[in-house]
Amino acid sequence: MILNITEAASHQIKEMMKEEESEGIRLRFGVKGGGCSGLSYAMGFEEDINEELDLTEESNGIPVVIHRQDAPIIEGTTIDFKQNMMGGGFTIDNPNAIVSCGCGSSFKTATNAGTPDPNC
């Protein structure tokens, strides 16, 4: 399994999926260039799947689509949802990240440094 979604994150994602009002909606998770460390996580909802470019799986009841080129970068990543007095938010634990920025939203791996944003 490429992506692990905890029970808390699964509950939150399912609530968000209800608002999308679409039968074939999936969570799309991957990476994009940018951020202080070079790569940032991308998470959203999508109906379209390109069988040649995308991988699909299910984690904790959530249908997930991942671009094939992102799979090695995020292999073994866990998405969790933490609630605190300020509200709540998703946390991402990627065992492949060797450097992360202070806020944790960007990273780089040993094999992919991405493109750091010079404005960080």
Side-chain angles (χ1 to χ4, degrees):
M1 182 171 288
I2 297 169
L3 187 65
N4 302 304
I5 299 175
T6 67
E7 190 172 323
S10 174
H11 176 74
Q12 186 65 29
I13 292 167
K14 286 177 183 174
E15 289 299 312
M16 294 167 70
M17 289 173 89
K18 287 179 188 175
E19 296 174 15
E20 294 294 317
E21 299 178 8
S22 176
E23 287 292 317
I25 198 115
R26 294 176 178 267
L27 174 70
R28 178 173 283 280
F29 185 78
V31 297
K32 60 183 179 177
C36 301
S37 298
L39 296 171
S40 295
Y41 297 106
M43 191 163 83
F45 296 113
E46 189 165 320
E47 291 181 41
D48 298 326
I49 298 169
N50 183 325
E51 296 292 334
E52 291 180 25
L53 301 176
D54 294 326
L55 300 169
T56 59
E57 63 180 35
E58 187 170 306
S59 179
N60 211 347
I62 303 295
V64 179
V65 61
I66 298 166
H67 198 286
R68 287 184 191 277
Q69 73 181 19
D70 293 346
I73 299 169
I74 60 173
E75 179 80 39
T77 294
T78 298
I79 299 176
D80 196 7
F81 187 82
K82 305 282 185 187
Q83 192 75 35
N84 60 35
M85 291 177 25
M86 300 296 287
F90 290 101
T91 61
I92 299 171
D93 179 26
N94 183 345
N96 304 303
I98 60 169
V99 173
S100 294
C101 69
C103 65
S105 64
S106 72
F107 66 101
K108 70 179 177 180
T109 67
T111 58
N112 196 324
T115 307
D117 183 345
N119 297 318
C120 280

